Amino acid sequence: NQENLLNPLRPSRMPNTWSFATLLSLISVLGFLNDAQAASVKQTASLQKTILLKNESPSPYLEKVVEVKWSSLDNGKEKLDTAKLIVMDKGTKEQVPVQFETFGDSAIRNLLIQVDVPAKQSKEFVVTYGVRKPIETKTFGRYVPERKEDFAWENDKIAFRMYGKELEKTPSEMGLGMDVWVKRVSRMILNERYKRGEYHIDHGDGMDYYHVGMTMGAGNMAPFVNDSIVASKNYVSYKVLDNGPLRTSFQLFYDEWAVGTKKVKATKTYSLDAGSQLNKITVQYSPYSDSGIPVVAGIVKRQGTDTLNIDTAQGTVAYWEPKHGQDGITGVAVILNNPNVQPFIKNGQILLKTTTDKSHSITYYAGAVWDKAGRITDARQWTEYVKTFKQQLDIPVIVR
């Protein structure tokens, strides 16, 4: 009890008799603790690692969420203190937003940073210790049991939802595809909208006017057999993997259903980054055959004056819908980042047909934009955004 040793006027709770050896041992222990604390402070002050990002694409990376493998920063021996870790732009000396991605595990998989990197240029960032500035939440998602088991998610640009099993009990509201909730504010709005229950009225933050019905909506995917879409019913369970502030990822699980003469199950993994209009979506089907499963990703096509840009070689569709009265215009896009894409229109849907790999998995991108958000306001800009997005998938930022 160090306090009692240093304060002889305080009644001692120690034994009345102390040997000289005991006192020396106690003093040695106290000295060891002070040395350990000093070493810890020194280690904290000395952390200095550099991240080099190189953009070899002809377009700038703006608000880009970049993955830095955690194992490249911490080999397991250093045990970096994540509570004190900050990342600073070496040029501006300003902190950049960070997130520690676990992908549903207990261990960190990636350090996520949100940065700008000019076209054909490199930038350096310093990883060190300091007082981390508060980070604005830019992505969020959750299960919504109070609204028939929706799963809804958003970032600072746009919002989406998928329908749960409970909705199947209300056939008039039934939907199969991915829904879009347009927004014009950067703050998270899902909880506000569900609380007030007026999705179809714009209270200054956007609204829900996108109609899905029994279609693929804004980019859902399903098997395509015998010239027909063979969609599952709605998801039955979910798992949140990461939930902001820069990336929200989750999985939706689907019960077995008949696809031709086979039975399959599916797991869909969604990932939405801050600043992005498009989701990364990976669909994993259960064993089907020794080869891949034919699938389509689809967008519902509206009646009226619209603009459709299909690039078969790049596997992209950029669709600018007709104006929806006073509500504005939605742009929807799908990118299949793999070869052998066959686009076509059938039964009021724009479909991109391809095949999963031999493990029955496929990754693609889908999402939307709203003209009233002010970021992208016409078909040309939307087509250019999709083109640039695909270009940067093909030429990813180099991380060293």
Side-chain angles (χ1 to χ4, degrees):
N1 190 320
Q2 187 177 11
E3 184 179 8
N4 286 333
L5 283 175
L6 299 178
N7 184 3
L9 298 180
R10 181 183 177 92
S12 176
R13 291 187 293 270
M14 297 181 183
N16 292 328
T17 303
W18 284 80
S19 69
F20 184 67
T22 302
L23 287 172
L24 282 179
S25 298
L26 181 59
I27 291 169
S28 298
V29 170
L30 293 174
F32 172 78
L33 290 176
N34 288 334
D35 289 344
Q37 290 168 351
S40 176
V41 170
K42 184 178 179 181
Q43 181 187 21
T44 297
S46 64
L47 175 64
Q48 193 87 356
K49 296 175 183 284
T50 301
I51 299 170
L52 173 68
L53 301 183
K54 187 175 182 181
N55 177 13
E56 294 186 336
S57 79
S59 58
Y61 284 103
L62 301 177
E63 302 179 285
K64 176 68 174 177
V65 175
V66 176
E67 297 177 2
V68 181
K69 289 189 180 300
W70 187 248
S71 59
S72 70
L73 296 170
D74 190 339
N75 59 14
K77 298 178 181 178
E78 294 184 79
K79 300 190 182 302
L80 299 182
D81 187 346
T82 56
K84 299 176 182 177
L85 190 145
I86 63 173
V87 179
M88 303 187 70
D89 186 310
K90 193 172 183 179
T92 66
K93 310 301 182 186
E94 295 291 327
Q95 286 191 34
V96 299
V98 301
Q99 177 181 334
F100 303 99
E101 183 183 34
T102 66
F103 209 71
D105 200 356
S106 58
I108 298 173
R109 179 176 296 188
N110 294 306
L111 170 67
L112 305 180
I113 58 175
Q114 188 179 31
V115 298
D116 294 339
V117 186
K120 298 292 184 178
Q121 293 187 37
S122 299
K123 288 186 74 173
E124 287 187 330
F125 299 86
V126 177
V127 182
T128 186
Y129 283 139
V131 178
R132 192 156 61 234
K133 291 182 178 179
I135 300 172
E136 179 186 0
T137 297
K138 298 182 179 182
T139 67
F140 171 70
R142 75 173 178 95
Y143 169 61
V144 190
E146 68 269 30
R147 218 306 296 193
K148 300 181 180 179
E149 299 183 339
D150 287 351
F151 196 100
W153 69 104
E154 64 179 317
N155 67 2
D156 49 345
K157 307 299 181 186
I158 195 74
F160 305 92
R161 67 172 169 172
M162 290 294 286
Y163 302 111
K165 201 71 177 172
E166 184 67 21
L167 191 68
E168 294 176 7
K169 298 177 182 179
T170 312
S172 61
E173 296 182 277
M174 182 59 180
L176 292 176
M178 186 164 71
D179 191 19
V180 178
W181 278 17
V182 295
K183 57 185 290 187
R184 56 164 128 229
V185 293
S186 61
R187 74 175 190 276
M188 303 295 97
I189 50 81
L190 287 178
N191 285 336
E192 294 177 33
R193 290 193 191 176
Y194 276 112
K195 185 175 181 179
R196 65 181 176 237
E198 296 175 336
Y199 320 130
H200 306 297
I201 300 173
D202 185 359
H203 289 272
D205 57 28
M207 61 188 299
D208 172 24
Y209 68 81
Y210 190 85
H211 179 66
V212 176
M214 302 301 285
T215 73
M216 297 287 97
N220 198 15
M221 178 173 280
F224 192 77
V225 178
N226 297 326
D227 204 33
S228 298
I229 298 172
V230 188
S232 67
K233 291 188 177 181
N234 293 345
Y235 84 90
V236 296
S237 61
Y238 72 95
K239 180 181 180 181
V240 176
L241 304 175
D242 292 279
N243 209 354
L246 301 180
R247 174 178 291 171
T248 289
S249 301
F250 60 94
Q251 292 177 318
L252 301 180
F253 303 93
Y254 293 79
D255 272 347
E256 188 176 72
W257 77 102
V259 178
T261 60
K262 307 286 186 179
K263 296 277 191 180
V264 300
K265 291 183 177 181
T267 299
K268 298 185 178 182
T269 304
Y270 295 79
S271 180
L272 180 62
D273 285 354
S276 179
Q277 303 291 154
L278 305 183
N279 299 276
K280 179 181 179 180
I281 307 171
T282 298
V283 185
Q284 178 67 61
Y285 294 100
S286 60
Y288 179 81
S289 66
D290 293 336
S291 59
I293 301 174
V295 294
V296 289
I299 299 172
V300 57
K301 193 176 187 303
R302 312 296 185 188
Q303 295 294 321
T305 304
D306 57 9
T307 302
L308 175 60
N309 186 289
I310 299 176
D311 189 330
T312 303
Q314 294 298 313
T316 65
V317 170
Y319 181 50
W320 195 250
E321 291 191 344
K323 188 174 182 180
H324 192 270
Q326 298 300 311
D327 300 329
I329 301 172
T330 307
V332 185
V334 168
I335 299 175
L336 291 182
N337 198 28
N338 61 324
N340 303 319
V341 174
Q342 303 170 39
F344 59 100
I345 297 174
K346 183 176 182 178
N347 298 332
Q349 298 191 80
I350 307 157
L351 303 175
L352 282 175
K353 182 183 177 183
T354 189
T355 305
T356 68
D357 62 23
K358 290 184 178 181
S359 68
H360 311 107
S361 177
I362 185 169
T363 296
Y364 71 107
Y365 297 80
V369 71
W370 188 35
D371 68 331
K372 285 192 173 184
R375 187 187 192 194
I376 295 171
T377 58
D378 60 38
R380 181 194 61 81
Q381 292 176 341
W382 183 228
T383 299
E384 187 62 27
Y385 178 89
V386 175
K387 177 183 176 182
T388 300
F389 195 101
K390 176 59 167 64
Q391 184 181 77
Q392 293 184 349
L393 289 176
D394 294 338
I395 311 174
V397 63
I398 297 172
V399 182
R400 294 188 179 131

